[in-house]
Amino acid sequence: ESVSKLGSLMLVHDLYANDAFDDIRKLIEAALEPGGRLHDIKEFVEDRINDLLKNSQGLFVWIETVINFVAENEDTKLDALENILKSGPHEEAEETLDDLYLAVIESATARTKSKDTVKTILALVLATSRVAPLSARGLHAFLPPKFSVPFTTFENILGRLSAILLFDDQSVTVFHTSVLDFIGSEARCGKENFMPQSETDVTMAGGCFEIMATGTRNAKRQWNRPPCGLSFNMCGLKTSHLRNDAMTDFDKQVHEKVSLELRYGCLHWWDYPKSSLIEHSAASDEESDTISKKASNFLMSTLSLFWLEALSLSGKLTTGRDILLKVQQSKSGVSSSYTTRTICSCLFAGSGGVPTIHIRDAPILGTKPSCCHSQHASFIPLASLGSISIPALESLGIRLPRYADLE
């Protein structure tokens, strides 16, 4: 009964139903004041305030985007504003926004001279908005290998799209949610600007696996940052007998070795295959098969052990448990013979990560155990076993070295 009462309080807000003409006028006037973004073309704008109000159709987001777009054009502000006003108001407010967003994209494309680059950036922003936003640096790292775009150029492109995108050191997001609706609809943004979600998910999934394996998708565009993928003891920790929080300069070492894009790949590699393999029939059989194989190969390789180590270093080991459970429960065709055993090593009560033991991948796979300091060893936290008893693990074919076997 209480739930039904809450449901009755829900309201559906129509973006296009209410106007904000008074607020729009105030925003324009503020932009024309000394220090405002359009102060240098004040007289030109004042002569066209009524046209701006009429074209806005009462949409505050429209005038905000116009101001951002015109201001970003710097020495061509007059032309930018004149071109927007030429389109005139539409019968449908949605079409008014679509025309404006299209003008922003076309302007960025003309100045970048690469429609494919702009199109791909917008598609990746849409994809990461659905899962978890990436910073500009991280988003640059996830561009497909064919794009040898330096980061400074990438930042410039984002700047040319700043009328519809917001970006800083933390994330690249859209200025308004209506931008997501626009770039996510082929009917609205046009075939030349549209990338199907299934294709974008395949791109992001491939990026996760490539970055985890080698640290980069294109070493040329990251020439000033040596790539670092998953590897044994990737932070070069001197001992496995101390908790992470007891190690000297631990956070510094993790920051240097676990890049933002690698961390993202470790946390979200299943989000994109899950979408492309299960939710979208638009993905081709060949694309689905490729992603399925990449996921299966990853789980069956030693990289998956290094993945658990990276999650432990980042304090996100519970995420690994959740991912493996989702893979096991899915009907994606991804091999889960390995995950059944690995889940047991991820169930834990805390996130301290250590004390740890050096073990080969063999005990996790259920074969004869061995314990040493070889390149094939990995950190598996004893604390991560939680309340699972050693006899219970051994009944599954998993044997763990006793303390007597440790260094």
Side-chain angles (χ1 to χ4, degrees):
E1 182 181 353
S2 59
V3 174
S4 62
K5 288 181 178 179
L6 286 173
S8 66
L9 296 176
M10 293 177 60
L11 295 175
V12 177
H13 178 71
D14 186 346
L15 173 66
Y16 310 109
N18 302 306
D19 62 63
F21 286 111
D22 289 340
D23 291 332
I24 290 172
R25 181 180 289 276
K26 291 177 182 177
L27 185 65
I28 295 172
E29 291 171 348
L32 300 179
E33 292 177 357
R37 302 184 70 189
L38 302 183
H39 177 68
D40 55 336
I41 58 171
K42 179 179 179 180
E43 291 78 10
F44 186 83
V45 176
E46 285 179 334
D47 289 342
R48 292 160 177 79
I49 283 184
N50 289 334
D51 291 334
L52 285 169
L53 291 171
K54 182 179 179 181
N55 281 23
S56 73
Q57 293 189 287
L59 296 177
F60 193 80
V61 62
W62 185 87
I63 194 61
E64 280 190 293
T65 305
V66 167
I67 292 174
N68 290 338
F69 176 54
V70 173
E72 195 278 325
N73 273 270
E74 299 178 352
D75 56 343
T76 58
K77 289 180 180 179
L78 300 180
D79 293 335
L81 182 57
E82 193 69 21
N83 288 335
I84 289 173
L85 292 175
K86 280 180 182 178
S87 64
H90 293 273
E91 290 185 9
E92 297 294 333
E94 183 180 279
E95 294 177 5
T96 299
L97 279 179
D98 289 354
D99 265 6
L100 177 57
Y101 294 156
L102 193 59
V104 173
I105 294 172
E106 288 177 345
S107 174
T109 299
R111 296 161 70 186
T112 303
K113 298 180 181 178
S114 176
K115 180 177 285 289
D116 200 25
T117 303
V118 174
K119 171 183 174 179
T120 302
I121 290 174
L122 290 172
L124 295 188
V125 171
L126 176 61
T128 54
S129 294
R130 290 187 292 101
V131 175
L134 267 167
S135 69
R137 180 72 71 174
L139 200 68
H140 174 252
F142 270 88
L143 281 174
K146 68 177 183 178
F147 294 99
S148 294
V149 181
F151 181 64
T152 51
T153 303
F154 183 81
E155 276 192 310
N156 288 336
I157 296 173
L158 291 180
R160 291 162 189 161
L161 292 167
S162 61
I164 59 174
L165 297 183
L166 299 175
F167 63 97
D168 52 30
D169 294 337
Q170 300 301 317
S171 63
V172 180
T173 57
V174 292
F175 173 71
H176 191 269
T177 54
S178 59
V179 178
L180 295 178
D181 296 333
F182 173 75
I183 60 179
S185 169
E186 182 177 358
R188 294 179 62 181
C189 71
K191 185 176 182 179
E192 68 278 7
N193 298 310
F194 177 73
M195 184 178 292
Q197 185 176 327
S198 59
E199 183 179 337
T200 310
D201 286 338
V202 168
T203 296
M204 287 300 299
C208 289
F209 292 123
E210 289 168 26
I211 289 170
M212 286 193 292
T214 66
T216 184
R217 304 196 76 180
N218 182 325
K220 286 188 294 184
R221 65 179 183 232
Q222 293 178 239
W223 59 271
N224 60 337
R225 289 192 307 142
C228 181
L230 297 174
S231 62
F232 167 66
N233 193 16
M234 59 189 300
C235 287
L237 302 179
K238 295 180 180 179
T239 179
S240 61
H241 291 254
L242 293 175
R243 290 179 58 86
N244 291 344
D245 53 17
M247 294 186 183
T248 304
D249 294 328
F250 176 78
D251 290 339
K252 179 182 178 182
Q253 293 179 71
V254 173
H255 178 75
E256 290 177 351
K257 295 297 183 180
V258 184
S259 66
L260 188 148
E261 58 267 25
L262 178 57
R263 189 188 305 255
Y264 189 92
C266 289
L267 292 174
H268 300 292
W269 64 262
W270 177 242
D271 289 322
Y272 296 102
K274 174 190 68 177
S275 180
S276 59
L277 292 175
I278 301 172
E279 298 174 8
H280 301 293
S281 58
S284 68
D285 291 340
E286 183 178 351
E287 289 173 336
S288 297
D289 187 51
T290 299
I291 294 301
S292 178
K293 284 182 179 178
K294 285 184 177 181
S296 295
N297 290 341
F298 170 74
L299 288 173
M300 295 298 291
S301 72
T302 53
L303 276 179
S304 57
L305 292 177
F306 305 149
W307 167 62
L308 292 178
E309 180 185 344
L311 291 176
S312 176
L313 292 169
S314 304
K316 297 289 186 179
L317 199 54
T318 48
T319 301
R321 175 200 61 193
D322 295 340
I323 291 173
L324 292 171
L325 286 170
K326 290 175 183 176
V327 173
Q328 188 184 43
Q329 294 165 2
S330 73
K331 297 180 180 179
S332 61
V334 175
S335 174
S336 61
S337 59
Y338 174 71
T339 65
T340 303
R341 297 183 174 91
T342 309
I343 288 171
C344 296
S345 68
C346 293
L347 298 173
F348 78 116
S351 59
V354 270
T356 61
I357 54 177
H358 288 295
I359 61 175
R360 289 181 184 270
D361 53 306
I364 295 298
L365 293 173
T367 56
K368 188 175 180 179
S370 105
C371 182
C372 66
H373 288 285
S374 76
Q375 61 179 346
H376 302 294
S378 184
F379 289 113
I380 300 296
L382 285 174
S384 70
L385 298 177
S387 60
I388 304 296
S389 67
I390 288 179
L393 292 172
E394 292 183 340
S395 69
L396 295 173
I398 302 172
R399 295 187 60 199
L400 297 175
R402 301 295 196 262
Y403 280 103
D405 298 321
L406 300 179
E407 57 183 347

